[in-house]
Amino acid sequence: TLVHSNSFLSGPAGHSRSSMESIFSLGATNAMDDNEEQPDADQPSKWHKNTIKVFQVLKSNITPTNETVSYDALSAGVSRRTAAGFFFELLQLKTLGFIDLNQAEPQGDIVISPGVKFFDDYE
């Protein structure tokens, strides 16, 4: 079970809130109208724009030399709303098989690693 950490509120030294906020300008995650069809998990081109943004951030941070990334590091210095939206999109990507999420202890950092579909094309 993943438990959301609040350590992102303090942020690391040297990272301003505005510079990190621009990286994760996710906006509202539930902006879909009731009349819209739900996206098909097998058709990533129909992903919500915020899911695509988060996946792009992960693609740029997870490399063959750096195979994991920390949720706390990625969400450092952003607003609570942005961090929560980012967390929600991580859960979406985990459900779709694009990433794996591991947490050693309750309220500990979440380690993000590639899932079985991570290197598949999403567009």
Side-chain angles (χ1 to χ4, degrees):
T1 303
L2 296 174
V3 179
H4 178 61
S5 169
N6 288 327
S7 62
F8 62 87
L9 295 176
S10 59
H15 286 87
S16 71
R17 177 176 285 256
S18 61
S19 68
M20 291 303 289
E21 188 75 39
S22 65
I23 293 172
F24 297 115
S25 57
L26 299 176
T29 57
N30 296 321
M32 296 173 62
D33 291 333
D34 290 336
N35 296 334
E36 287 188 44
E37 290 183 30
Q38 293 296 319
D40 183 358
D42 293 331
Q43 296 181 4
S45 62
K46 293 185 179 184
W47 283 3
H48 191 274
K49 65 182 180 178
N50 294 338
T51 308
I52 293 171
K53 277 185 185 182
V54 169
F55 192 55
Q56 289 170 337
V57 167
L58 295 175
K59 285 262 195 186
S60 67
N61 283 281
I62 296 175
T63 63
T65 56
N66 185 28
E67 295 178 357
T68 64
V69 67
S70 160
Y71 170 79
D72 284 349
L74 289 176
S75 62
V78 300
S79 70
R80 292 181 75 163
R81 177 182 176 171
T82 301
F86 183 68
F87 181 73
F88 173 80
E89 298 302 339
L90 289 179
L91 297 178
Q92 293 284 83
L93 290 167
K94 167 65 176 163
T95 300
L96 297 173
F98 284 86
I99 63 171
D100 284 324
L101 301 172
N102 293 297
Q103 186 177 41
E105 59 189 20
Q107 298 188 10
D109 191 15
I110 299 167
V111 177
I112 306 161
S113 58
V116 294
K117 296 181 180 180
F118 185 79
F119 296 102
D120 292 354
D121 204 6
Y122 61 91
E123 294 185 317

